[in-house]
Amino acid sequence: MNRKYKIVIPSLLAGLLAACGGSQSDSAAGNSPKLLATSLTSAASTSAALPASWTSVKWGGGGYVTGLVYHPTSANVMYARTDIGGAYRWNNSNGSWTPITDGIGFNAGEGGFHGVESIALDPANDNKVYLVTGMYSHSWDGTPINGRIYASGDRGASWTHYDLPFPVGGNEDARAIGERLKADPTNPSTLFYASRTAGLWKSTNSGQTWTQTGLSGKVLTAAEIQGLGTAPVGVEQIVFDNSNVGGGATTWIMYAAIAPDYVQKAGLSSTMYKSTNGGFSWTPVSVPSNVSGYFVPHMLRTGDGNYYVVFNKNAGQGAQGPGYLYRFGGVANGETWAQLATTTQGGYGGVSVYGTGATARIALAVTGTWSAGQPVVQLSDNGGNTWHEIADGMQHWGGGYRGWVDDIEIDPANKDHIMHVHGGGVWETWNASAASPSWDVPLNNFEETATLALVTPPAGAPYKFVNSAGDIGTWVQTDLAATPTRAPTSAWSNGNAADVLWSDPSYIVSAGALNGSPSVAFGSWSGDGGNTWSNFATLPAGAAANTAESASIATAFRNNAIWAPANSVPSYTTNNGASWTSTNLPALSAVGINRGYRLAVDRKNPNKVYAYDSGGASWSNLAGKVYVSTDGGHTFTLSQGSVSANLAPNGWNATSLAVNPNVEGDLWLADGNAVYHSTNSGASWTKLNGFATIPANGSTGQMQGASVIALGKAQAGASYPAAVYVVGAMNGVWGVYHSDDGGATWARFNDDAHQYGGIGVMAADWNTYGRIYFSGVGRGLVYTN
């Protein structure tokens, strides 16, 4: 599944839209280590115990797994990295995955570090693992955004992290090339990193400090990055030759593969270089003429001293070819080249080798093929002399398996166990030697989706919630432990928003877009709880041209909907989309990013509909405003009380509006900085004390004071008829907070081990007190018990 959706985290927004200022200069200052630890304790009053469990809602994959890394000597020790959803550790005992980037070091101001660009394992200590993280190497104007390195001595149960002096792009093009981070196999405290924009770097103290190697001192400027027209690829990877090195000694000989963009900018003469002095100096290595100027997605070295090198004409996930696989002799075998395979159907993504010489098993990933009859995984059992297909046309359980097949790994402990990545997760076979291997999806507890909107129905409804998500669309979840089956479409799409009719939750409306070039907007309705759907026959004004996620849809009565596309005046329909009429809400002025109205229906009196304009961005100087309709969302009046409240201007992803379904006119609003409460349909607003935004500090981004608010079933005997949950920062501590007494007192609801890179959307359950559903950064949905 192609990933069109690019996750945008509120704390990263300023960095993506403007020069990153102090936070970047801090992390780039020299080579001084900067250890950033998180130890947060809430000073808020406590009124209830923390949740007993935090469990992923079942989807199964859903996003791009960019690499699989096996430990070289310890069987079944394996990790997976993703572009937006952090990293996972494989549990061979029960065939499941454990997310290892949910806790300390990955909170609201650190969600950008859920983009994992590379993983390295200590060959001498199978408990030690490193992650290099950062979603984007640069902001919109080319300004660099430096990454982090995380180190764990307990397989990811806890982390120490250091700021890096170079950018990292875990969610950029070519993010599934081989591991950029490598540990010297005989002296693993020495690390090398192949960066996108600043050459090859070396650390001799397990990542605490870094210096550039002698490969090149070139650092791409912002103008040069912009001039590329795509993300820089830079130095792609290095491979060590440690055949004559004893334990504890430095590995002196190594080869580096370099992308054409950096070759050209740095004035280098080849896409491959060699060092014989531990990276101090480098000399060019000639590559075959037919792959001159090609990218090198993967390369590896086998025990006989040979290297297997994949060349591909184009970079990036699902890149088209031509592609070539070569065996390179290396120092031990005269540095000669032998072509083993080529393709013009798609390109080559990854390669894995089991054994050596003429009997070596080689698995070759073919990326960017989408049709039956085209290769996906090619296998050779005679060192590359002959090849046969083992994936296309074979038995598969689950969804699609083609497309972004950019990494492939043969299990070092079992040559018949082969895994490959793709745009929706991972595939594996346990009988690769069979004439017709069978494949399955090993995705138990592996959840990498990006929810954009979430709505829960009233108590007693036959489903849990409606999930609108990037790339996978809109789904009605009936069972938290099973992949949902009810959706307007199973096509590659973004679900932007949905709502349920409170008086009859079998009626659901949704808004989204079919992904493609261009995206195609569509809206849908279901009258039977999501079992069947019909598309709206027409679109409201603005919907066709504005398919961004900053959209909202609401329903007050059956067959009625109010749809607010991004950057547009909302419209309403009374006939399930056969026709639309524009409301009188003001047009939204441009602020540099997408904006939109948030709509909410008063469940006690559905003639009342509320529309919240957050101002669009913190720099807009446009104070937030609330508008009120008393005719089912047809016409609106500005709430002067919201003007008097002087609501802070903030972006779509940093603001929220919720209505208490048990009390007419009872509204809650998070303006990004603080929480506001109205008990008279927005006529007046009370600002609650305690919530306040935490400014950015070094590589830790700004943490909004209050970005998401949700209401759910009240605690038995509580003084207020709903439990209130807020994502924000109170007394200098970010987290999820809840109140059982209408905001008089608050207690932190999560802890440091459950932060998920930040929380984007949240809804609370109306059947079970204490249950919330929320999205982590690229971590799918999680619920509490």
Side-chain angles (χ1 to χ4, degrees):
M1 176 175 60
N2 282 14
R3 176 174 294 283
K4 171 178 178 288
Y5 177 70
K6 260 195 162 182
I7 192 165
V8 177
I9 305 153
S11 61
L12 282 183
L13 203 51
L16 292 170
L17 292 162
C20 296
S23 65
Q24 290 307 306
S25 60
D26 289 345
S27 60
N31 294 312
S32 301
K34 188 170 184 181
L35 175 61
L36 300 176
T38 306
S39 178
L40 306 180
T41 56
S42 174
S45 60
T46 301
S47 60
L50 291 172
S53 65
W54 305 75
T55 308
S56 289
V57 176
K58 175 70 172 179
W59 171 263
Y64 191 27
V65 179
T66 54
L68 302 168
V69 180
Y70 277 100
H71 192 273
T73 59
S74 294
N76 304 316
V77 176
M78 181 180 66
Y79 296 83
R81 57 180 167 96
T82 75
D83 52 1
I84 65 169
Y88 290 78
R89 183 183 65 247
W90 174 248
N91 305 309
N92 195 65
S93 61
N94 60 5
S96 69
W97 298 88
T98 296
I100 56 174
T101 49
D102 285 351
I104 293 175
F106 301 94
N107 73 351
E110 298 161 315
F113 304 113
H114 258 204
V116 182
E117 190 170 62
S118 193
I119 296 177
L121 308 182
D122 188 325
N125 179 356
D126 65 9
N127 287 311
K128 195 160 191 178
V129 57
Y130 299 94
L131 309 178
V132 169
T133 69
M135 282 195 191
Y136 304 110
S137 64
H138 58 282
S139 61
W140 67 275
D141 62 356
T143 303
I145 302 175
N146 288 346
R148 281 182 179 175
I149 185 168
Y150 288 78
S152 174
D154 50 18
R155 300 190 180 184
S158 61
W159 297 97
T160 297
H161 60 269
Y162 305 94
D163 288 349
L164 293 171
F166 48 79
V168 173
N171 193 32
E172 293 182 335
D173 281 346
R175 54 194 180 270
I177 65 173
E179 299 309 315
R180 294 175 177 268
L181 180 65
K182 293 289 177 63
D184 184 331
T186 57
N187 187 13
S189 62
T190 295
L191 305 174
F192 286 83
Y193 199 78
S195 80
R196 288 178 176 265
T197 64
L200 181 66
W201 291 75
K202 180 179 181 179
S203 172
T204 58
N205 54 9
S206 300
Q208 296 182 54
T209 59
W210 295 81
T211 56
Q212 274 187 319
T213 70
L215 178 63
S216 172
K218 174 64 179 177
V219 176
L220 300 185
T221 66
E224 287 173 324
I225 292 171
Q226 281 189 306
L228 291 173
T230 185
V233 179
V235 183
E236 294 161 309
Q237 57 208 290
I238 69 165
V239 177
F240 298 99
D241 182 342
N242 64 323
S243 55
N244 297 312
V245 180
T250 297
T251 300
W252 295 107
I253 301 173
M254 60 195 72
Y255 292 89
I258 308 158
D261 57 6
Y262 191 76
V263 168
Q264 191 272 326
K265 297 296 183 184
L268 301 176
S269 59
S270 177
T271 53
M272 184 170 288
Y273 272 71
K274 177 177 70 174
S275 175
T276 59
N277 53 16
F280 180 77
S281 63
W282 296 79
T283 56
V285 175
S286 296
V287 301
S289 59
N290 62 339
V291 293
S292 177
Y294 275 41
F295 294 87
V296 179
H298 280 82
M299 69 177 188
L300 57 88
R301 182 181 181 275
T302 53
D304 57 3
N306 284 311
Y307 293 73
Y308 292 81
V309 186
V310 171
F311 292 93
N312 209 61
K313 182 177 182 179
N314 296 296
Q317 50 291 341
Q320 294 299 302
Y324 294 86
L325 174 65
Y326 273 88
R327 185 177 61 240
F328 175 60
V331 172
N333 298 301
E335 293 192 333
T336 57
W337 293 91
Q339 182 179 312
L340 302 181
T342 185
T343 185
T344 56
Q345 296 188 78
Y348 283 152
V351 63
S352 185
V353 181
Y354 183 100
T356 60
T359 60
R361 166 165 282 187
I362 308 172
L364 189 55
V366 184
T367 186
T369 58
W370 299 96
S371 302
Q374 293 183 317
V376 177
V377 176
Q378 293 276 292
L379 193 71
S380 173
D381 279 318
N382 51 19
N385 187 47
T386 60
W387 297 87
H388 62 282
E389 175 66 25
I390 64 167
D392 177 62
M394 307 304 167
Q395 186 174 14
H396 286 76
W397 290 269
Y401 57 93
R402 295 179 169 278
W404 295 3
V405 186
D406 293 294
D407 184 26
I408 192 164
E409 300 295 334
I410 304 174
D411 187 337
N414 180 357
K415 71 174 185 177
D416 277 339
H417 182 208
I418 298 177
M419 307 180 81
H420 74 76
V421 307
H422 73 117
V426 181
W427 280 94
E428 70 176 351
T429 180
W430 287 88
N431 59 345
S433 296
S436 298
S438 56
W439 293 81
D440 205 349
V441 281
L443 292 171
N444 184 19
N445 204 40
F446 200 118
E447 301 295 337
E448 192 205 357
T449 57
T451 292
L452 307 179
L454 195 63
V455 59
T456 48
Y463 54 91
K464 306 295 184 182
F465 53 77
V466 183
N467 172 20
S468 302
D471 283 344
I472 63 172
T474 295
W475 294 86
V476 178
Q477 193 94 26
T478 59
D479 183 345
L480 300 178
T483 301
T485 59
R486 304 181 185 181
T489 178
S490 60
W492 179 41
S493 64
N494 281 359
N496 289 332
D499 194 25
V500 303
L501 183 60
W502 208 252
S503 61
D504 179 9
S506 65
Y507 185 73
I508 306 170
V509 294
S510 72
L514 296 172
N515 291 334
S517 297
S519 298
V520 178
F522 73 100
S524 304
W525 64 276
S526 172
D528 56 10
N531 286 298
T532 61
W533 293 82
S534 298
N535 283 352
F536 295 137
T538 63
L539 296 175
N546 294 280
T547 58
E549 66 181 272
S550 306
S552 182
I553 194 167
T555 178
F557 305 99
R558 198 173 179 92
N559 306 324
N560 284 244
I562 311 101
W563 184 350
N567 311 310
S568 303
V569 173
S571 296
Y572 66 88
T573 179
T574 59
N575 50 23
N576 279 331
S579 61
W580 295 86
T581 302
S582 295
T583 68
N584 66 332
L585 285 165
L588 301 174
S589 58
V591 295
I593 60 172
N594 292 312
R595 58 185 298 196
Y597 284 98
R598 285 191 183 273
L599 303 170
V601 174
D602 193 310
R603 310 299 192 179
K604 272 292 185 181
N605 179 0
N607 283 307
K608 289 184 177 179
V609 180
Y610 308 98
Y612 170 39
D613 167 20
S614 69
S618 58
W619 58 83
S620 72
N621 294 318
L622 301 172
K625 297 182 178 67
V626 176
Y627 298 82
V628 183
S629 171
T630 57
D631 58 4
H634 297 184
T635 60
F636 288 83
T637 302
L638 174 64
S639 160
Q640 292 300 326
S642 71
V643 176
S644 301
N646 195 27
L647 303 175
N650 271 304
W652 175 268
N653 291 306
T655 55
S656 182
L657 175 68
V659 182
N660 185 350
N662 298 311
V663 180
E664 181 177 344
D666 191 10
L667 312 180
W668 293 82
L669 185 148
D671 74 346
N673 294 355
V675 173
Y676 293 81
H677 187 199
S678 173
T679 58
N680 52 16
S681 301
S684 62
W685 294 84
T686 300
K687 182 179 180 179
L688 278 66
N689 294 324
F691 293 98
T693 296
I694 301 173
N697 180 21
S699 63
T700 299
Q702 173 179 280
M703 288 175 272
Q704 300 293 156
S707 58
V708 190
I709 194 161
L711 276 63
K713 183 178 181 178
Q715 184 183 37
S719 58
Y720 182 72
V724 184
Y725 304 88
V726 172
V727 177
M730 177 170 278
N731 301 321
V733 180
W734 177 87
V736 181
Y737 290 87
H738 81 291
S739 174
D740 295 318
D741 51 17
T745 60
W746 295 88
R748 189 178 176 194
F749 193 67
N750 72 324
D751 57 23
D752 291 354
H754 300 92
Q755 302 187 86
Y756 304 96
I759 291 174
V761 300
M762 177 175 64
D765 194 273
W766 290 99
N767 295 282
T768 305
Y769 168 71
R771 174 171 290 181
I772 59 173
Y773 307 97
F774 61 90
S775 67
V777 174
R779 270 284 287 116
L781 290 171
V782 177
Y783 69 96
T784 59
N785 279 330

